[in-house]
Amino acid sequence: MLDRRQFLSAAAGFTGVLGLRESLFVRAAQAPAKLPDPALYGSNEDAYWTELRKQFLIPEDEVYLNNGTVGSSPAPVLRAIFDGYNECEKLAQDDPEDYPIWGYASWNEFRDPLAAFVGCMRDEIALLRNATEANSYIANGLDLKAGDEVLMTDQEHPGGEHPWNLRAKRYGIMVKKVTLPKPVPNAAAVLNLFNDAITPRTRVIFFSHIPTVTGVVLPAKELCALARSKSILSAVDGAHVPGMMRLNLRELGCDMYSSSPHKWLQATKGTGFLYVRDEMIDRVWNTIATEGWDDPKLRAERFQRIGSSNVPALWGLRAAIQFANQIGMERIEKRHRQMADYILNEMTKRGAESWTSPEPALRCGIATVNVPPIKRMDLENWMWKTKKIRIRGGEPSKLRLSTPYYLLKKDVDRFLAAFDEYKRAHA
Ligand SMILES: Cc1ncc(COP(=O)(O)O)c(C=O)c1O
């Protein structure tokens, strides 16, 4: 591994040779060597987050309100990825049969910190590349017959819904949906919707812990308990959850869980995972098959036998977990809630209709509002092209505003001022 001095000198060499003064490599090397002192948080929270913001390479004059689509890896994560390349690409492993390829081994040095972070056992977790891949494993892996029903919400992401649609088209299972109200008023409303839609043919309840459409935090624990009480399997798409809020999979009580830590955990793009509760592992078939696919002793590692893939990405995942732990998930979650509440309040003061749950427990780092007659795509383009503010919406007038902890209050205020300006100009 390169120490910081070596890293900086390598970066300087890079700059000199290639003229890449603005290269990622150089900028990652130039970020502060240490995270802000935790004591600063106690004395001045805003100063703490302002200092922490320096670890992120998003330019200072850009406001990024779309962490819900993908996060941005901070400098320590990037440095770990570069270290991973440095280690892997020499192909100098001690054992002549040892190759740096994710997809053929246990990679416990990465699974262990991940399992600890999400509250499960190492043997229950498989390192995959994103939630879509993990959802496909779930939808393809269960023994289901034609006519068996999978119950989901009408707010699933295509990477959650379509694996089941494919299975339905090919093998005749039935996909049924409950319609979530906008906003979801409380947990009981969701539980009642699911309870009422369950039939004797329901085999699986599949839902996003935090659906992409509105960012509502669904009552996952209660939904999984409902499923269990009726001998129905629970599969949860948790693409947004790790790194946004604290997560303990065993406490959640789901049978399966998928995720994309490259969103809120700010991990390397192309890192995901599949959790399968120990008691369920033997009931899930592999989708990708190579050596080990039929070895039950491998437990969930069986699902991570995906063929050659990129180990330095896993170095980044591990560093992202360490980064979040250093800050503290409690602080991160609190900050996500504070910032989302702030933007939501300000938007409703401006006449926006809230599609964010009024129940504090059902919201975290995403606020969603409806702002007719504004056309969201016109606003998105204007915000980005004239103000360097990146937002995400949905047709025709929905705005989904993600508030990651590295966003500063002045960034949110810049967005609000820009929104006012747009409204005035397009009245
Ligand atoms: C709820 C949900 N599931 C799945 C996905 C797909 O994630 P990925 O593209 O990382 O597989 C997303 C992406 O936004 C999502 O919001």
Side-chain angles (χ1 to χ4, degrees), residues 68-69 129-133 135 156-157 159-160 208 210-212 237 239-240 260 262-263 400:
T69 291
R129 289 164 294 202
N130 52 48
T132 304
E133 188 170 49
N135 287 332
E156 301 309 327
H157 186 273
S208 294
I210 298 181
T212 182
D237 177 345
H240 290 277
S260 285
H262 48 223
K263 292 183 185 286
R400 190 190 69 175

Side-chain angles (χ1 to χ4, degrees), residues 120-140:
C120 69
M121 295 187 300
R122 166 212 285 172
D123 280 346
E124 295 174 310
I125 213 156
L127 297 162
L128 294 177
R129 289 164 294 202
N130 52 48
T132 304
E133 188 170 49
N135 287 332
S136 299
Y137 260 77
I138 296 170
N140 285 308

Side-chain angles (χ1 to χ4, degrees), residues 97-391:
E97 277 294 298
D98 180 13
Y99 296 94
I101 40 180
W102 157 20
Y104 288 97
S106 57
W107 295 108
N108 290 337
E109 64 268 47
F110 306 112
R111 283 202 299 167
D112 283 343
L114 179 62
F117 189 71
V118 299
C120 69
M121 295 187 300
R122 166 212 285 172
D123 280 346
E124 295 174 310
I125 213 156
L127 297 162
L128 294 177
R129 289 164 294 202
N130 52 48
T132 304
E133 188 170 49
N135 287 332
S136 299
Y137 260 77
I138 296 170
N140 285 308
L142 299 173
D143 281 326
L144 295 172
K145 296 189 293 299
D148 284 349
E149 292 172 8
V150 176
L151 185 58
M152 62 178 66
T153 78
D154 64 333
Q155 291 190 11
E156 301 309 327
H157 186 273
E161 177 183 346
H162 288 309
W164 298 104
N165 289 342
L166 187 157
R167 179 103 191 239
K169 192 163 182 182
R170 195 163 177 201
Y171 297 111
I173 66 162
M174 307 289 288
V175 172
K176 300 225 163 154
K177 292 180 186 171
V178 299
T179 303
L180 292 177
K182 291 191 203 112
V184 170
N186 50 46
V190 182
L191 285 166
N192 287 337
L193 279 171
F194 271 91
N195 192 45
D196 293 351
I198 288 171
T199 77
R201 297 303 303 262
T202 309
R203 298 285 173 266
V204 183
I205 286 181
F206 173 80
F207 62 92
S208 294
H209 195 164
I210 298 181
T212 182
V213 176
T214 63
V216 57
V217 181
L218 292 183
K221 190 172 177 176
E222 292 79 1
L223 283 169
C224 293
L226 171 70
R228 182 80 48 86
S229 73
K230 295 179 184 281
S231 303
I232 294 168
L233 297 176
S234 56
V236 185
D237 177 345
H240 290 277
V241 179
M244 189 206 279
M245 50 193 279
R246 285 161 292 178
L247 176 64
N248 186 304
L249 290 170
R250 273 271 150 181
E251 275 175 21
L252 199 76
C254 59
D255 290 309
M256 291 154 283
Y257 198 93
S258 58
S259 194
S260 285
H262 48 223
K263 292 183 185 286
W264 293 85
L265 191 55
Q266 320 300 341
T268 333
K269 312 293 175 289
T271 49
F273 71 83
L274 169 67
Y275 160 83
V276 185
R277 194 166 61 86
D278 185 55
E279 299 80 348
M280 267 299 295
I281 291 174
D282 295 334
R283 292 174 60 186
V284 182
W285 289 86
N286 276 59
T287 293
I288 294 175
T290 180
E291 184 71 35
W293 73 274
D294 57 347
D295 181 355
K297 289 193 298 307
L298 290 177
R299 311 310 292 146
E301 184 195 319
R302 183 159 63 81
F303 309 120
Q304 106 186 8
R305 298 295 182 105
I306 52 176
S308 307
S309 197
N310 188 18
V311 172
L314 298 175
W315 284 59
L317 172 64
R318 180 174 55 189
I321 294 167
Q322 198 187 1
F323 189 79
N325 282 336
Q326 271 176 283
I327 303 168
M329 269 316 297
E330 203 178 326
R331 288 178 179 181
I332 289 177
E333 183 176 330
K334 183 173 155 213
R335 169 84 172 174
H336 285 153
R337 291 184 192 282
Q338 279 171 347
M339 298 298 275
D341 284 358
Y342 176 61
I343 210 168
L344 179 65
N345 273 335
E346 290 298 320
M347 288 303 283
T348 48
K349 274 191 219 160
R350 287 162 170 78
E353 176 195 2
S354 174
W355 283 0
T356 312
S357 179
E359 187 66 58
L362 302 193
R363 56 178 199 259
C364 189
I366 297 178
T368 299
V369 290
N370 193 32
V371 290
I374 291 175
K375 293 202 180 66
R376 67 97 182 184
M377 210 53 232
D378 292 347
L379 179 66
E380 268 189 53
N381 279 323
W382 182 86
M383 281 277 176
W384 180 237
K385 301 224 165 93
T386 66
K387 302 288 176 190
K388 288 192 130 183
I389 299 174
R390 204 154 162 149
I391 56 171

